[in-house]
Structure formats: structure tokens, C-alpha cells
Amino acid sequence: MLHVLPVTSVPLAAEPAVAALPLMEQFYTIQGEGYNTGRAAYFLRLGGCDVGCVWCDVKESWDAAAHPRVAIADMVAAVVQHPGRNVVITGGEPLMHDLTDLTAALHAAGCQNWIETSGAYPLSGAWDWICVSPKKFKAPLPDVLRQAHELKIIVFNQSDFKWAEEHAAQVGGHTRLYLQPEWSRAAQMTPLIVDYVKKNPRWQVSLQTHKYLDIP
């Protein structure tokens, strides 16, 4: 059984309690990556990110002001139109916003809250699954790494295996470890990841299966 983690720390870019958040897009699909691969999930992609990953495939999410502020109540209403109750809150970097009200409203509607974050900002909200995918351009916070259910390292080149181990040393014993090839380098990196996992079996392979399936 998954355990909800209530979090009380205040984000660095703290906002007052809000009833609306900048929303780039929302859609119902299949989670394509990591531990929850293959499960139906509703995605809420929030606008705003200052991590600046050069191979980010949603750079249009970076400017929060470019996206309309959508009422939390309207987001929840959209979620519950679908039978799935797993909600992935992603970005951008979602933890640039205080997510307390959003996660409370989703839990009240019977949803599971999953987050995908770089870990660069403190956690806010209550979470059933925390996926931390660190980026080299803004380091994850040690406290967020310790609370991660899942550490997902994107492998762009061979030196990223050492970088992955440096972060794996900072997570808890409960954290699942994943290595995922960066999509544009998948042909080169996937064989290296397979070999690495065979030699280091505490790691698992993660693939962007939604891209192979040609779904959002």
C-alpha cells in the first residue's frame, strides 16, 4: 500500500494559498515512464520552470506567464470526468508553486497524487508517489531526494552513470532506482543502460513507452 506523505515545508518561490495555477495542458493517457508505467493517469502540466534543461521536450512550459491560470476546482472537475484516479502533476517544475490546495482537492475527490519533479524546490502538498528526476543545471535538494519513492536518471552520455550513483547515495532505502535514455540518444544509450543494469541490478531500465506507443 502506498503511503501519503504530508509535507509542510514552504517552497522557495512561495505563493499564498491559491485557488488557481498556471496550466499549460491537461490530458488523460497512460503513464509512460518509471514505476507506474502502463497505468492510466490524468496529467496536469503546470507552467513555470527555471531549471533550464537543454534537452527538455516541453520548453514551452518554462514561462508561467504564458499559460492561463486555471481554477483548482476546474482542474479537479476535469480529472473526475475520466475513470482513472491517478493524477500526475508535472511541468515545467511544478514545485515552483505551492501545491497544498491542489493535492488536498484531488485527495478529497478520491485521487492518487503523483508528482514528477527535478527536486530543486521544497515539497509542498501531500503525495502518494514522488518521482525525482534530477537535472544538472539546478541541483535537487537533499530533503526531496530522501523522500523520493522513485529516482529517475536521464542518461544522455556515459558519464551520467557516475552522476546517477552520486544521487542514488542520497536517497532512502525505499527508493526505486531507474535509468532512462534521453529520447534523442536512445539508440546509443539504451545498450549501455542494459549492460549497466545487468552489472548493477539494484537499478531498473525505464523507457519512454508513450513515445513508442505514439500517445501523449
Side-chain angles (χ1 to χ4, degrees), residues 8-73:
T8 57
S9 53
V10 177
L12 295 178
E15 300 174 346
V18 293
L21 292 163
L23 183 65
M24 175 186 161
E25 60 181 349
Q26 56 186 326
F27 51 91
Y28 187 53
T29 187
I30 301 295
Q31 169 63 285
E33 305 176 6
Y35 176 79
N36 290 303
T37 294
R39 299 183 68 185
Y42 196 94
F43 276 67
L44 296 171
R45 188 181 301 282
L46 302 181
C49 185
D50 62 357
V51 178
C53 180
V54 295
W55 37 256
C56 174
D57 55 5
V58 283
K59 290 185 173 69
E60 60 271 30
S61 70
W62 291 4
D63 182 4
H67 305 290
R69 295 184 72 86
V70 175
I72 287 172

Side-chain angles (χ1 to χ4, degrees), residues 65-170:
H67 305 290
R69 295 184 72 86
V70 175
I72 287 172
D74 290 341
M75 292 189 215
V76 175
V79 169
V80 298
Q81 293 301 307
H82 301 273
R85 289 294 179 269
N86 303 313
V87 181
V88 179
I89 301 173
T90 185
E93 174 43 66
L95 288 174
M96 290 183 72
H97 309 286
D98 185 342
L99 300 178
T100 303
D101 292 348
L102 176 58
T103 56
L106 288 166
H107 272 154
C111 297
Q112 294 271 305
N113 295 328
W114 303 345
I115 190 168
E116 296 188 358
T117 175
S118 68
Y121 285 85
L123 285 162
S124 59
W127 302 100
D128 302 285
W129 194 260
I130 299 169
C131 173
V132 177
S133 183
K135 304 300 185 288
K136 294 179 179 177
F137 315 99
K138 193 164 188 175
L141 300 176
D143 182 62
V144 180
L145 284 170
R146 284 192 295 269
Q147 296 188 66
H149 298 100
E150 172 182 344
L151 176 69
K152 183 172 64 183
I153 301 295
I154 308 303
V155 179
F156 185 80
N157 55 50
Q158 199 159 0
S159 65
D160 289 332
F161 293 109
K162 180 176 182 293
W163 194 73
E165 293 292 355
E166 290 170 357
H167 287 85
Q170 301 178 60

